[in-house]
Amino acid sequence: MDLILVNLIDGLVTGLLLFMLSAGLTLIFSMMGVLNFAHASFYMLGAYFGFQISLALGFWMGLLIAPVIVGLMGAAVERYGLRRVHQYGHVPELIFTFGLALLIEELVQFVWGKNQMPYDIPDILNFTAFAIAGNSIPAYKIFMIFISVAIFIGLLYVLTKTRVGMIIQAALSYPRTVEALGHNVPLIFMGVFGVGTALAGVAGVIAGPVLGTFPGMAFVLGSIVFVTIVIGGLGSLWGALVASLLIGWITTFAKSYNIAMSDVLGAVGISPPANLDDSLLRDLWTVTSPQIADILPYILMVLILIFRPSGLFGTRNS
Amino acid sequence: MSDQFTTDPGKPAQRMRAGSMTLTLAPWIIATVLLMVLPLIFTANSALTIMNQMAITIIFALAYNMLLGQGGMLSFGHAVYAGVGGFACMHIMNMSDFFASFPLIVLPLFGGLFGMGLALIVGSFSTRSAGTVFAMISLGVGELIAACSVIIVAFFGGEEGISGDRTYAQPFFGVEFLQQIEVYYLTAAWLILSALLMYLWSRTPIGRMANAVRDNPERAEFLGYSARWVRFYSFVASGFFAGISGGLFAINYEILTEENLNTASSGVILLVTFLGGVGFFFGPIIGAVVFTLVQTVLSLQTELWAFYAGILFVATVMFFPGGLAGLLMMHVPVFKLGKARLLVMPYLKTLLPAAIGILGLAALVEMIFHLRHAATGDDEMTLFWTTFDSHSFWPWIVAGLVTLVGLGIARTTTPALRDAWAEATTAAKGMS
């Protein structure tokens, strides 16, 4: 029972972190119809900037400044890159962000090298918050949960309750009308892209110390973010939240309970073949749940796409 | 390929000359002769290796362009079909009783069939949608299968991959495929065959409808074609030819690993295809040749080759969405009117200083990289056949000046080039 609680918290942390990334991506996608392949790269930039700033000014200044820099870079990318590519259509847009992802990874390697950065949890949060039956929960995890929840509530509030959110939502559906009312729609797009990438930057700054700050960190999370928003349904903020939590919990539980596939198959009543070593299916029998934990989200995605192509909460089709 | 149809997304579909079904043989004969003669010119083993790699990449890129260029489907996981075809070929190669009845040269066909089989399964649900959704499904499926390589050890061989030996095959008319040159001719034959088949495919009604579905799926549906099935057929055919390239990879390298499946390989083939130009059938061929050269030659010179390739890629997407083939084809009307002479001098005046400026910039980049990452005390660096101290003052001044002057001259001569270009093309437009 206690272990379940610990896993629930761990999965929540993973899921909320994933949500922070997918929230920015969803925001950008639902606004501009652009799937930003470089989103995880901005997350990586956030982590690296956070590390660099924390060396000079400490973690908290990093948490404040790094997302701003990342957001400004994102805005610049929209203004000088995406807007130009937009005229060629959606596929070149997607290819552009893909190229950008490659370029940012090379750029990070160029500046910081290939090794992992010694980016550590700040001392003030480096203690055990509480313990559940001998399993300690670090304070940093609690901090991550609070930041993520605060961002979700803030985003939801801004988008649904404020005038800014109203204009943004209107610009999505009726760009011409909004423009005629005197709002600068391209500027709104630029701002949204900037905010979306800044969110990725925040995720990077707070995930950098726990998940490691290295050039491959964008690659590790890059495709899982896409899987998340596909599962949740493209463009749905609630869908992104639900899918993130689902993925967080599924992977955490699969990792902490060592379930062998042969037990599962045995329980269903299928017995292993007599000469296991010769069988082509032998891996199916020996595989355990921690081994497949990382690919469970992909399996989930394929299943969802087959049975509910628009995702859990999706309303729009391609 | 004079009666090349255009698949430039920017152009309206009406401009395509859908009626011309005649196939010009000339380019195919030239290409065949060229492929026969090349190893006689470049005899070194390393050159053969590069050419083999090129040929495999060309087939793969052409197969990829079947999706991207002709069908408008952006796949981020296409390496999987080549990879699975390759893995299957490797297993077949290791089966002792297979070669008793078949020679080695038919092996890529089985790679193709396996690639096609996988494409049949994945395509059944992924081709329902196009555009963004398709792109993401392809990414997810690609990741899934790539991740399986660590789990399904029996087929993918885990971390170390699986290897085989092509020489177990029965000699085929006395050829045992021991030497690189024999593999080269095998690959070249498959290249010609697959390229021809893919070209013919693009001229079948399905190939034509793929263009229509790409440009306007609703209209294609109105005409009575199911957009989904057209996409599905293209996808399956593309999987087949990707599988063939995977089979050739297995024969050439005799080892396949997770690297043949992962997202990075899928990204590379996207890069190659787009760089060459998705708008034209021969675009990916140019892309594959250029990219393989960049990869093999540049990576020997600098650690930063992927960085330059990334910049080149992003610049291509931003400024030349037609790719290298698009750039080339822009000049065809100019040549047809004999106005090319007008452009020679302006080109020289702009491109030469620009190239020098870019080399200067690259030198600066290399020097910064060396300054940051070289071991302490290791101040010597060699660049453009000169060795100097990266911590001293003068190299920076020289590189900086070369960059500024080169790009400066290019900037001042650009308007003249633009005028010359306008003159050459307005006349061309007036004539046609």
Side-chain angles (χ1 to χ4, degrees), chain A residues 35 88 110-111 223 283 295 305, chain B residues 128 132 147 153-154 372-373:
Chain A
L35 257 187
Y88 309 133
F110 179 88
V111 179
S223 40
D283 294 307
I295 65 164
L305 283 169
Chain B
R128 258 195 296 233
T132 318
V153 183
R372 252 197 95 82
H373 294 288

Side-chain angles (χ1 to χ4, degrees), chain A residues 22 25-31 33-36 94 172 225-240 243 301 304-305 308-318, chain B residues 129-137:
Chain A
S22 31
L25 195 63
T26 301
L27 190 68
I28 292 170
F29 179 76
S30 56
M31 271 297 300
V34 178
L35 257 187
N36 181 14
L94 208 53
L172 165 65
V225 180
F226 282 91
V227 169
T228 309
I229 67 167
V230 171
I231 291 177
L234 286 175
S236 161
L237 203 59
W238 282 100
M301 183 197 79
I304 291 243
L305 283 169
R308 196 180 149 77
S310 54
L312 291 176
F313 288 74
T315 43
R316 77 160 54 183
N317 253 328
S318 74
Chain B
S129 42
T132 318
V133 179
F134 175 85
M136 284 197 301
I137 299 173

Side-chain angles (χ1 to χ4, degrees), chain B residues 36-368:
Chain B
M36 304 269 272
V37 172
L38 270 178
L40 303 178
I41 304 167
F42 303 102
T43 46
N45 246 342
S46 58
L48 280 178
T49 312
I50 293 177
M51 285 194 289
N52 277 353
Q53 197 185 336
M54 243 177 223
I56 294 168
T57 317
I58 289 174
I59 300 178
F60 191 15
L62 282 173
Y64 188 79
N65 196 36
M66 228 167 173
L67 284 185
L68 180 60
Q70 289 173 37
M73 287 175 276
L74 177 60
S75 168
F76 284 111
H78 215 55
V80 160
Y81 306 94
V84 165
F87 274 103
C89 281
M90 200 60 96
H91 283 291
I92 294 173
M93 208 142 79
N94 288 335
M95 283 194 300
S96 45
D97 42 353
F98 174 77
F99 285 128
S101 36
F102 292 105
L104 183 74
I105 54 158
V106 300
L107 191 61
L109 182 67
F110 289 87
L113 291 176
F114 273 90
M116 188 168 89
L118 183 64
L120 270 171
I121 300 168
V122 177
S124 65
F125 60 89
S126 74
T127 51
R128 258 195 296 233
S129 42
T132 318
V133 179
F134 175 85
M136 284 197 301
I137 299 173
S138 71
L139 178 81
V141 172
E143 286 275 342
L144 180 62
I145 295 173
C148 281
S149 71
V150 208
I151 297 159
I152 308 177
V153 183
F155 186 73
F156 294 112
E159 299 265 314
E160 66 264 34
I162 57 167
S163 48
D165 192 339
R166 61 177 175 244
T167 53
Y168 285 156
Q170 299 289 318
F172 180 72
F173 290 110
V175 181
E176 288 183 70
F177 297 103
L178 290 170
Q179 287 167 337
Q180 195 77 318
I181 184 85
E182 292 161 347
V183 179
Y184 170 81
Y185 279 114
L186 170 74
T187 316
W190 271 102
L191 169 60
I192 290 287
L193 182 65
S194 335
L196 190 65
L197 285 176
M198 279 188 261
Y199 184 70
L200 291 174
W201 169 273
S202 72
R203 318 221 112 204
T204 58
I206 286 282
R208 294 283 191 205
M209 280 319 292
N211 291 342
V213 166
R214 174 200 66 204
D215 291 335
N216 196 338
E218 272 156 23
R219 203 157 159 183
E221 294 256 356
F222 250 67
L223 291 174
Y225 288 87
S226 157
R228 183 184 168 182
W229 281 102
V230 170
R231 276 192 216 112
F232 179 70
Y233 290 137
S234 304
F235 190 77
V236 170
S238 174
F240 176 74
F241 288 108
I244 286 182
S245 80
L248 288 169
F249 189 96
I251 292 175
N252 186 33
Y253 292 95
E254 297 182 304
I255 182 163
L256 276 118
T257 58
E258 189 262 346
E259 230 173 76
N260 294 90
L261 301 165
N262 64 19
T263 327
S265 307
S266 303
V268 164
I269 203 64
L270 165 64
L271 213 148
V272 164
T273 311
F274 204 82
L275 196 66
V278 294
F280 305 91
F281 180 80
F282 65 89
I285 301 178
I286 301 178
V289 170
V290 170
F291 184 81
T292 313
L293 281 179
V294 166
Q295 195 183 20
T296 47
V297 178
L298 202 61
S299 66
L300 288 178
Q301 306 294 325
T302 166
E303 276 181 72
L304 295 173
W305 75 271
F307 179 64
Y308 298 125
I311 292 177
L312 183 65
F313 182 58
V314 171
T316 310
V317 185
M318 282 180 70
F319 302 106
F320 311 106
L324 293 172
L327 268 184
L328 275 182
M329 293 309 278
M330 265 165 60
H331 293 84
V332 168
V334 181
F335 270 98
K336 272 188 180 157
L337 286 158
K339 291 238 177 188
R341 248 180 326 111
L342 280 177
L343 287 174
V344 174
M345 276 322 278
Y347 262 152
L348 272 183
K349 277 183 191 159
T350 309
L351 294 186
L352 203 63
I356 292 171
I358 288 169
L359 283 182
L361 205 61
L364 282 176
V365 169
E366 292 284 333
M367 280 155 70
I368 297 171

Side-chain angles (χ1 to χ4, degrees), chain A residues 21 36 51-52 74 115 122 124 149 206 217 252 283 308 310:
Chain A
L21 276 173
N36 181 14
F51 160 72
Q52 204 66 51
N115 296 330
I124 200 169
V149 171
I206 65 172
M217 65 188 291
T252 312
D283 294 307
R308 196 180 149 77
S310 54

